[in-house]
Amino acid sequence: TDSILIVDETIRLTTESAVDSTVLTKEAHIGDIVLTVEIQARSMSGSGYQPQLVLFFAPETTSVADVTTNDNGFGDFFESSVVAWMKERIYFNPNDPNLLMYTWFNAKVLDTDSNFVSEGGSKNNRMNSGFLRLQRSGGSIDSYYSFDGVSWAEVGGGPVLLPTSYRTAPLKLGYRIKREWKSAYDITTHPTITSNGAVTASTTSDPQSYFDDDNIERIGTSCSSSEGCNLALDAYNSAVLSTETFSGDVSFIVKVENRKVFGTGYQSGLALFFAPADATLNLVPTGRNEDGAFNDYVIAAVSDKIHASIDHTWTTMKYQTDSGTLSQSGGDGYKN
């Protein structure tokens, strides 16, 4: 993406518009694995805790979209997609540059019961440059940091033994930015990987489907499996509903490729939803002033909202339970 610049062996992660950056290996690595990332240079972004560099190992079926989230999604979505991660955290106040000259280090690793174990530590030195290391050895995960690449310190209390399924399995390696609510960052890195070998990563074996004019009902929409869907209509509602039904675990992902802003004020939002198997588009309330009826009818929905002049995205998720409809909401300082 535009926020990732690769020159020779260095990778620069940089943005001034709240882009979330991630790099992920295409191949998976087997056996003992060591991912070392040198922070060669970084710029400070305003005052407070700074954007953080996060190293991680993920299952070989993981895509870069799975592990790229804003700050709201770090715990719920990023963390649930990885096997282990570690990160650094520093503080900077331009009015008092020597305040809190510390670096905090944190790590989380899946243990033998597939629960995350948290580890941490700190050093009275700000990591303007330095090294982070995440490694798998003998089926266990450990993490380290160094300010000079020679003397290394362990994060936490020692190696954590992984679940059996991840002790020798191929893993993808990567690192990303956790923005700490900042809109700008600039970190130049140099990664090094050693392992017992790299293999072609498996893709998910689960069946996949795409929206196409042959398998959907639609209003004000055109779709193809290669070009995606275009929702454009002068009236209130455009909608798409699959004529296929799905069972078991289902993941529904929509990438917003391009979005036009009309006039001023709040804009039309995009809502993804799961509906009963016997639903038809005529039964799904999608008209003006039918938001309440829509939320009551569908099983679950997640939607976004943006404003023409505010650099922010609001998100809401609603889903049905035995005791009624539950709602969760969040947002981030980046317009979707």
Side-chain angles (χ1 to χ4, degrees):
T1 69
D2 293 340
S3 65
I4 300 174
L5 305 175
I6 301 176
V7 179
D8 296 329
E9 296 181 349
T10 65
I11 300 177
R12 182 183 175 192
L13 310 174
T14 179
T15 186
E16 294 184 355
S17 54
V19 176
D20 298 289
S21 300
T22 304
V23 292
L24 180 70
T25 59
K26 291 183 177 180
E27 295 181 311
H29 290 258
I30 58 175
D32 291 342
I33 304 168
V34 180
L35 170 62
T36 304
V37 178
E38 178 186 4
I39 299 174
Q40 294 185 331
R42 75 193 304 167
S43 297
M44 299 300 163
S45 179
S47 181
Y49 288 106
Q50 298 296 302
Q52 302 154 31
L53 191 67
V54 185
L55 280 58
F56 62 88
F57 293 161
E60 62 176 328
T61 56
T62 302
S63 71
V64 72
D66 295 330
V67 288
T68 305
T69 68
N70 58 25
D71 286 355
N72 282 327
F74 187 86
D76 291 335
F77 299 106
F78 166 76
E79 192 170 282
S80 63
S81 300
V82 303
V83 175
W85 61 260
M86 74 158 304
K87 67 180 180 69
E88 50 76 35
R89 190 186 195 200
I90 64 173
Y91 182 93
F92 180 75
N93 182 345
N95 296 320
D96 189 357
N98 294 320
L99 179 66
L100 292 179
M101 290 286 289
Y102 279 83
T103 305
W104 292 265
F105 301 94
N106 299 97
K108 280 193 175 182
V109 184
L110 285 179
D111 66 8
T112 54
D113 295 322
S114 295
N115 296 316
F116 272 109
V117 173
S118 298
E119 298 191 299
S122 64
K123 183 70 174 179
N124 58 339
N125 190 359
R126 182 181 294 146
M127 187 170 275
N128 298 315
S129 61
F131 298 78
L132 302 177
R133 175 173 291 169
L134 187 64
Q135 70 177 46
R136 180 176 71 179
S137 179
S140 295
I141 296 288
D142 215 346
S143 54
Y144 300 87
Y145 65 89
S146 173
F147 285 86
D148 59 9
V150 177
S151 300
W152 292 86
E154 189 175 40
V155 177
V160 176
L161 185 63
L162 288 167
T164 304
S165 56
Y166 291 125
R167 292 178 191 173
T168 59
L171 297 176
K172 285 186 176 179
L173 323 180
Y175 55 100
R176 54 158 290 176
I177 295 293
K178 183 177 184 295
R179 290 190 287 108
E180 199 64 21
W181 313 109
K182 304 289 188 182
S183 61
Y185 55 81
D186 190 346
I187 302 179
T188 301
T189 65
H190 177 242
T192 304
I193 297 171
T194 60
S195 71
N196 291 141
V199 297
T200 300
S202 296
T203 58
T204 178
S205 59
D206 297 328
Q208 297 187 27
S209 182
Y210 301 89
F211 281 169
D212 195 282
D213 279 342
D214 294 333
N215 67 357
I216 59 170
E217 297 179 74
R218 58 188 176 87
I219 299 173
T221 308
S222 61
C223 291
S224 74
S225 58
S226 60
E227 299 297 328
C229 296
N230 180 42
L231 287 76
L233 196 66
D234 291 337
Y236 180 76
N237 59 326
S238 292
V240 179
L241 180 67
S242 167
T243 56
E244 299 175 307
T245 58
F246 300 85
S247 60
D249 294 337
V250 180
S251 177
F252 181 25
I253 300 172
V254 174
K255 180 181 180 181
V256 179
E257 293 279 5
N258 183 41
R259 184 177 203 158
K260 291 184 179 180
V261 174
F262 294 91
T264 61
Y266 289 105
Q267 303 293 301
S268 296
L270 184 68
L272 281 60
F273 63 89
F274 292 155
D278 59 356
T280 65
L281 205 50
N282 288 334
L283 295 176
V284 181
T286 60
R288 185 181 294 275
N289 299 323
E290 290 191 307
D291 290 352
F294 168 79
N295 288 321
D296 290 338
Y297 180 79
V298 301
I299 298 170
V302 60
S303 60
D304 72 351
K305 182 171 70 173
I306 65 171
H307 191 281
S309 58
I310 302 175
D311 196 16
H312 197 90
T313 301
W314 292 263
T315 58
T316 301
M317 181 177 70
K318 296 189 177 184
Y319 56 97
Q320 304 291 345
T321 70
D322 292 338
S323 55
T325 302
L326 295 184
S327 178
Q328 295 180 312
S329 60
D332 195 13
Y334 174 70
K335 187 177 294 183
N336 186 20

